[in-house]
């Protein structure tokens, strides 16, 4: 078969490992040929691609980013998009199937295209780990590792100055990165969108830690909104999906802590550092296994399905499952983290 790969949506460490394993598995096991569409669905729509021979994927699993580039082009919203145009492009370039590697938006587009007759399978990716159909996504472990390292560093400088240190991490509308990195770094407070608490409560915790001679370390997920802060945070605007605009909450929380407790405080927003650089070993392995399974799905003609992790197994799931709302942090996972807070 001649198979096209694309990476779409925000980049994520591990994308290149998926590309490498699909290509190697396809060439070795099935005699397939590969092309890589440049810039996500845009490359499909415009017939913009590169050949992916075996040597093009050499050493790729350790590299961050994506060699194909990525974009947020939606296959149905582009003036030359839609299933008929895409089918024509695939035919013109002799491409038998597409492997689309992406998050919720990409997988939704892939599902719709599959329903409209395009031979496409998916691979889930997001550092946010918010896809319901898979236990973990690659990129998440790398983000945790970077955020944990950053907090370890914040702790030493915080302790030297006896300051409260606040780290804002990504995660979009869920708190997985904050929960895991906060647990790993031994943060004194983990603030996530799924568990709203008041700033008074946060300040009380910070004061308790400070009064014991420690330097409070707080991790706040970018989607967190304190219980009592809706009005103060109003006017930040909205995302395209209608939810409050993300980012900046770490700075706001820090100012509140300093103003209400008098404890000198500093904030750090980790931002895209969490998505950059080389994937961890865990993410390389997970991404590699996803790529292998996705290639098998192509040969099973399992259009509209994707590879997913359940326990330790890589399984086939219908893309509709991936689109069934966000996987948020359950209350019991938050409670578990609370047990450890050294306050
Ligand atoms: O979904 C991954 C993610 O990194 C989120 O954690 C974050 O909110 C968003 O993407 C940032 O998007 P962009 O790279 O477009 O600023």
């Amino acid at each position: 078969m001649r198979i096209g790969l694309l990476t779409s949506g925000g980049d994520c460490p591990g994308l290149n490992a998926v590309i490498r394993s699909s290509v190697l598995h396809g060439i070795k096991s099935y005699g397939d040929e590969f092309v890589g569409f440049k810039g996500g669905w845009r490359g499909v729509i415009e017939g913009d691609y590169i050949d992916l021979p075996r040597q093009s994927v050499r050493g790729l699993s350790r590299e961050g980013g994506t060699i194909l580039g990525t974009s947020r082009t939606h296959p149905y919203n582009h003036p030359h998009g839609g299933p008929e145009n895409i089918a024509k492009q695939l035919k013109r370039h002799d491409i038998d199937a597409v492997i689309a590697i992406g998050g919720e938006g990409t997988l939704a587009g892939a599902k719709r295209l599959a329903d409209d007759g395009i031979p496409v399978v998916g691979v889930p990716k997001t550092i946010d780990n918010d896809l319901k159909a898979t236990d973990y996504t690659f990129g998440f472990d790398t983000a945790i590792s970077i955020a944990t390292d950053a907090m370890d560093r914040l702790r030493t400088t915080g302790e030297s100055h006896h300051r409260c240190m606040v780290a804002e991490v990504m995660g979009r509308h869920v708190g997985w990165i904050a929960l895991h990195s906060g647990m790993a770094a031994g943060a004194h407070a983990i603030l996530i969108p799924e568990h709203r608490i008041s700033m008074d409560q946060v300040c009380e915790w910070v004061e308790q830690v400070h009064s014991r001679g420690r330097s409070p370390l707080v991790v706040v997920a970018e989607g967190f909104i304190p219980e009592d802060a809706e009005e103060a945070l109003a006017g930040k605007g909205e995302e395209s999906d209608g939810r409050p605009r993300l980012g900046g909450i770490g700075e706001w929380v820090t100012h509140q802590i300093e103003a209400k407790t008098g404890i000198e405080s500093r904030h750090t927003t980790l931002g895209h550092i969490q998505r950059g650089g080389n994937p961890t070993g865990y993410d390389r392995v997970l991404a590699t296994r996803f790529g292998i399974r996705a290639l098998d799905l192509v040969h099973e003609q399992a259009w509209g399905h994707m590879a997913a992790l359940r326990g330790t197994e890589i399984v086939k799931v219908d893309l509709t499952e991936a689109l069934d709302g966000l996987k948020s942090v359950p209350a019991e996972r938050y409670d578990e983290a609370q047990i450890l807070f050294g306050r």
Side-chain angles (χ1 to χ4, degrees):
M1 288 177 92
R2 190 165 143 86
I3 298 162
L5 287 150
L6 67 88
T7 52
S8 173
D11 76 317
C12 172
L15 289 170
N16 284 326
V18 179
I19 296 169
R20 173 177 171 269
S21 66
S22 288
V23 168
L24 290 182
H25 183 36
I27 291 172
K28 285 188 185 172
S29 313
Y30 299 97
D32 294 328
E33 264 181 42
F34 289 86
V35 302
F37 292 109
K38 288 162 77 180
W41 293 109
R42 184 200 61 75
V44 183
I45 292 164
E46 296 173 8
D48 185 11
Y49 62 84
I50 52 168
D51 290 330
L52 291 176
R54 186 176 174 154
Q55 62 271 23
S56 67
V57 300
R58 190 176 294 142
L60 215 53
S61 63
R62 59 177 171 265
E63 283 179 25
T66 161
I67 56 161
L68 301 178
T70 184
S71 73
R72 297 200 189 268
T73 303
H74 193 283
Y76 283 81
N77 296 346
H78 190 283
H80 304 296
E84 279 165 29
N85 290 330
I86 287 176
K88 274 189 208 152
Q89 282 291 8
L90 296 182
K91 195 156 187 274
R92 182 173 302 146
H93 301 289
D94 283 330
I95 292 161
D96 304 304
V98 175
I99 298 177
I101 313 162
E104 210 190 351
T106 306
L107 299 175
K111 175 64 186 163
R112 209 169 142 194
L113 285 172
D115 288 346
D116 285 338
I118 303 294
V120 55
V121 302
V123 172
K125 72 88 221 180
T126 166
I127 64 163
D128 303 330
N129 198 39
D130 58 356
L131 287 173
K132 265 192 186 161
T134 182
D135 288 353
Y136 286 103
T137 42
F138 60 85
F140 177 61
D141 187 65
T142 307
I144 300 304
S145 142
I146 293 167
T148 304
D149 177 64
M151 278 189 265
D152 288 348
R153 290 167 193 276
L154 290 176
R155 188 188 282 283
T156 60
T157 168
E159 277 170 0
S160 305
H161 291 266
H162 203 36
R163 286 171 172 159
C164 170
M165 303 304 279
V166 178
E168 178 186 313
V169 297
M170 281 186 167
R172 209 175 273 269
H173 304 295
V174 298
W176 287 107
I177 296 178
L179 180 82
H180 279 230
S181 59
M183 279 180 90
H188 299 104
I190 297 176
L191 313 182
I192 60 174
E194 295 91 332
H195 188 88
R196 294 186 63 191
I197 52 169
S198 68
M199 276 314 297
D200 285 345
Q201 175 67 84
V202 176
C203 290
E204 197 184 309
W205 288 342
V206 165
E207 275 170 335
Q208 279 170 16
V209 175
H210 199 259
S211 65
R212 286 191 290 110
R214 303 292 313 278
S215 297
L217 177 64
V218 177
V219 55
V220 51
E222 61 180 347
F224 172 72
I225 301 176
E227 246 178 5
D228 45 358
E230 251 134 16
E231 265 179 44
L233 292 172
K236 260 167 62 65
E238 290 183 341
E239 297 284 318
S240 52
D241 61 7
R243 295 187 232 208
R245 189 173 298 290
L246 297 171
I249 186 69
E251 184 175 2
W252 188 86
V253 162
T254 307
H255 286 150
Q256 292 290 309
I257 290 172
E258 193 165 87
K260 289 188 180 185
T261 65
I263 298 167
E264 194 180 14
S265 304
R266 293 286 189 270
H267 77 275
T268 300
T269 301
L270 298 184
H272 289 81
I273 288 170
Q274 293 159 97
R275 252 167 50 187
N278 296 343
T280 58
Y282 179 89
D283 279 341
R284 293 180 203 191
V285 172
L286 181 59
T288 298
R289 294 183 73 202
F290 276 176
I292 290 171
R293 191 71 179 98
L295 201 272
D296 288 334
L297 293 180
V298 166
H299 285 276
E300 290 163 24
Q301 304 200 350
W303 315 131
H305 288 75
M306 69 172 203
L309 179 71
R310 295 276 166 83
T312 56
E313 300 297 311
I314 307 293
V315 297
K316 162 178 131 183
V317 300
D318 196 295
L319 279 172
T320 32
E321 265 194 65
L323 309 170
D324 183 27
L326 292 180
K327 178 176 69 188
S328 44
V329 174
E332 55 276 18
R333 288 298 311 276
Y334 183 79
D335 293 345
E336 204 174 64
Q338 284 274 10
I339 295 169
L340 307 171
F341 292 156
R343 294 191 288 256

